[in-house]
Amino acid sequence: NIMRKKLFKNFFIFAVIFAIMLISAACDASENAGNGNIIGRWQTVIDLAEMYDMNKEDLSAAGFDVEALNYTLTYEFSEDGTLKISAENPLVGNSSQEVKYKAENGRIYVSPDFDSEIDETSYTEYEISEERLTLVSEGSANGENVQEEILDVIYPMTFTKID
């Protein structure tokens, strides 16, 4: 019972983190080498059990579906400046959001939503290679680090190119 309460608390924390991540992705990001490298679909699996140092064997023994602790996150960058962010989870289901983005000088700037202009006051820095995209941290145009303590759990986040 205590373990279940802890799990539900962690799900709530993850929901908050995920919401921040979507807002964050919809308000920031960055790149090392021009728009061309980032075009395509990038995917990662977020394992909440690993993120919060939970013992999967104990969770499974308590009757919890440990696969329900995995979120698949996909970023799809298009040449037309559209970024589609999708999340999938067996318990929560699927969700997606489209925003506008601009990659420039090792940073990606995004709009809060598709109908808004790109917010050039905040960004997420990342590193990119042919097969890997790593979100490193967040920042703002005035040089302040906007990364909150809860985001320390998220960054760095590495995606693999899937097409």
Side-chain angles (χ1 to χ4, degrees), residues 99-111:
V99 296
K100 299 172 193 168
Y101 80 95
K102 176 176 80 172
E104 180 177 272
N105 298 325
R107 298 175 178 165
I108 293 181
Y109 303 87
V110 297
S111 60

Side-chain angles (χ1 to χ4, degrees), residues 41-136:
R41 290 176 16 141
W42 303 86
Q43 193 170 77
T44 190
V45 175
I46 300 169
D47 184 338
L48 290 181
E50 185 177 303
M51 187 180 283
Y52 289 104
D53 296 323
M54 293 184 239
N55 185 313
K56 287 185 178 182
E57 291 174 8
D58 290 345
L59 293 172
S60 186
F64 195 81
D65 178 10
V66 292
E67 291 302 313
L69 295 172
N70 293 334
Y71 276 79
T72 301
L73 187 60
T74 306
Y75 283 14
E76 184 174 350
F77 294 90
S78 299
E79 289 183 29
D80 68 359
T82 302
L83 167 59
K84 181 178 181 181
I85 304 164
S86 304
E88 300 173 27
N89 174 272
L91 288 179
V92 180
N94 302 337
S95 64
S96 66
Q97 177 181 9
E98 283 192 359
V99 296
K100 299 172 193 168
Y101 80 95
K102 176 176 80 172
E104 180 177 272
N105 298 325
R107 298 175 178 165
I108 293 181
Y109 303 87
V110 297
S111 60
D113 57 58
F114 195 75
D115 295 325
S116 299
E117 295 302 312
I118 293 172
D119 178 2
E120 295 192 31
T121 63
S122 62
Y123 54 85
T124 300
E125 296 179 345
Y126 64 88
E127 299 169 357
I128 192 166
S129 68
E130 273 188 43
E131 300 299 321
R132 296 212 182 274
L133 168 67
T134 303
L135 301 180
V136 178

